[in-house]
């Protein structure tokens, strides 16, 4: 079993839709949870960062962490074609320990 | 502000040739440095990481090696490339201790 599981998609939605991206994990020691966005042929860029459980909102993006279920989500409201990218979840136990990445979900938002 | 530079952006190399990819970080000191490889349609595979000059930890035994000759310089090398070494190589750094990495723009390596 992988430490972090993420459906690779692809996920195709119409412009304006609400997008839900998810990851599950097995290591209960994870405390730091991140979402990265990666455009084609580019390096990943940090999109959202959450410590422990709860929600965090930044514009059209909301990150949720449910540590009891070992489940994290990223919601994108009013999705735009410019949101078309691969979204990778990542998590760490902290203290300079390594980030563990999911496989990434490819999202396509069509006009 | 901190920046990370990675070069070259694209590289086509024949099987059996050597490899040297370089990564430098500016605007910070004593960063943790990482080399990742991303195969087409796959996730990120950690290859090497370093917490200080001359210190290298290897995650996956393979045809590659890494070195950190200076505080903000990280080099990925190979003496003889294999076809299986093709992929997208990413350098990353952090110094927050909270896990968030900043990635470079990557090198797309094709071994022919």
């Amino acid at each position: 079993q992988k430490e972090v599981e993420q459906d690779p998609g692809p996920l195709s939605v119409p412009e304006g839709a609400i997008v839900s991206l998810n990851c599950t994990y097995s290591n209960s020691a994870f405390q730091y949870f991140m979402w990265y966005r990666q455009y084609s042929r580019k390096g990943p860029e940090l999109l959202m960062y959450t410590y422990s459980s709860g929600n965090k909102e930044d514009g059209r993006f909301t990150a949720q962490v449910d540590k009891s279920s070992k489940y994290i989500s990223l919601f994108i409201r009013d999705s735009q074609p410019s949101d078309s990218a691969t979204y990778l979840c990542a998590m760490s136990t902290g203290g300079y320990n390594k980030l563990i990445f999911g496989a990434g979900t490819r999202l396509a938002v069509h006009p | 502000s901190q920046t990370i530079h990675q070069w070259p952006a694209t590289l086509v190399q024949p099987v059996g040739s050597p490899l040297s990819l370089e990564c430098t970080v500016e605007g910070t000191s004593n960063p943790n440095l990482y080399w990742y490889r991303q195969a087409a349609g796959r996730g990120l595979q950690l290859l090497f990481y370093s917490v200080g000059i001359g210190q290298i930890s290897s995650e996956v035994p393979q045809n590659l090696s890494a070195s950190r000759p200076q505080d903000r310089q990280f080099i990925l090398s190979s003496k003889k490339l294999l076809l299986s070494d093709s992929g997208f190589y990413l350098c990353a750094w952090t110094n927050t201790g909270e896990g968030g990495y900043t990635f470079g723009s990557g090198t797309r390596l094709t071994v022919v």
Side-chain angles (χ1 to χ4, degrees):
Chain A
Q1 181 188 10
K2 292 181 180 178
E3 275 192 287
V4 179
E5 299 275 4
Q6 183 177 9
D7 187 337
L11 184 61
S12 182
V13 301
E15 183 175 355
I18 296 174
V19 176
S20 173
L21 304 168
N22 312 293
C23 288
T24 59
Y25 62 94
S26 57
N27 187 350
S28 58
F30 286 142
Q31 297 185 75
Y32 299 91
F33 303 91
M34 283 139 273
W35 286 95
Y36 283 82
R37 179 175 61 195
Q38 184 177 23
Y39 290 113
S40 181
R41 298 181 176 272
K42 302 291 186 183
E45 55 177 329
L46 185 62
L47 193 60
M48 298 288 284
Y49 176 94
T50 310
Y51 171 69
S52 193
S53 285
N55 293 0
K56 184 173 183 179
E57 189 172 319
D58 184 1
R60 296 184 295 111
F61 299 90
T62 299
Q64 285 186 352
V65 175
D66 182 348
K67 292 188 73 178
S68 62
S69 301
K70 297 190 182 68
Y71 189 87
I72 69 170
S73 301
L74 176 71
F75 297 96
I76 307 174
R77 292 182 298 280
D78 187 25
S79 56
Q80 303 295 309
S82 59
D83 295 326
S84 299
T86 296
Y87 290 80
L88 300 117
C89 63
M91 45 200 80
S92 166
T93 57
Y96 288 108
N97 288 330
K98 300 182 293 282
L99 270 188
I100 307 299
F101 284 86
T105 300
R106 196 167 64 185
L107 171 67
V109 181
H110 51 86
Chain B
S1 63
Q2 301 99 349
T3 55
I4 180 169
H5 302 279
Q6 195 178 338
W7 67 92
T10 306
L11 195 59
V12 180
Q13 292 285 97
V15 169
S17 63
L19 173 73
S20 181
L21 302 180
E22 189 163 341
C23 171
T24 60
V25 180
E26 295 179 356
T28 188
S29 59
N30 196 31
N32 277 21
L33 297 170
Y34 305 85
W35 277 112
Y36 281 88
R37 178 169 61 201
Q38 187 175 36
R42 302 278 299 274
L44 293 169
Q45 178 188 31
L46 179 62
L47 303 176
F48 301 95
Y49 68 96
S50 171
V51 299
I53 296 174
Q55 189 282 330
I56 306 294
S57 295
S58 174
E59 284 293 300
V60 182
Q62 57 208 327
N63 188 40
L64 302 169
S65 62
S67 62
R68 184 171 178 174
Q70 299 182 43
D71 181 43
R72 291 168 291 174
Q73 184 185 28
F74 206 20
I75 297 172
L76 183 69
S77 303
S78 174
K79 292 182 179 178
K80 290 185 177 182
L81 284 169
L82 306 172
L83 288 174
S84 57
D85 292 324
S86 293
F88 191 43
Y89 288 82
L90 290 155
C91 181
W93 74 274
T94 186
N95 64 0
T96 67
E98 295 177 345
Y101 297 177
T102 300
F103 284 87
S105 54
T107 295
R108 187 159 303 279
L109 171 67
T110 304
V111 182
V112 296

